[in-house]
Amino acid sequence: MAADVSPIDVISHIPILCEKKKVPYAYVKAREALGTSSQTKRPTSVVMLLKPPEDNKYREAFDKLAELVKDSNPYLK
């Protein structure tokens, strides 16, 4: 999620849902950075990723990233 979303009410429910369901989440500083990393020219407020299947080549990278996010967020422990 981008930290510079205005009004914040647009995404304020997402962290609560993530914590309730134990879904890792993280913030980035700017919507522009999130959009660029999502390979779009538009500023982006939220990006959600699906967990790849076990046999997918990206599964290991996804699991490592999810663990890093969980470790950095005290609400997900």
Side-chain angles (χ1 to χ4, degrees), residues 5-65:
V5 175
S6 181
I8 193 67
D9 297 346
V10 174
I11 65 166
S12 62
H13 64 287
I14 295 175
I16 297 165
L17 291 172
C18 289
E19 290 166 13
K20 184 176 180 180
K21 299 292 184 180
K22 302 287 188 205
V23 174
Y25 68 95
Y27 288 97
V28 296
K29 289 184 180 183
R31 294 181 312 136
E32 288 78 15
L34 190 56
T36 300
S37 64
S38 302
Q39 298 182 348
T40 181
K41 294 179 181 178
R42 294 182 174 266
T44 304
S45 299
V46 176
V47 173
M48 295 183 183
L49 304 174
L50 290 175
K51 191 173 194 174
E54 290 285 338
D55 59 345
N56 190 291
K57 66 180 180 178
Y58 298 110
R59 178 60 182 263
E60 186 177 337
F62 179 91
D63 289 341
K64 286 180 184 178
L65 180 61

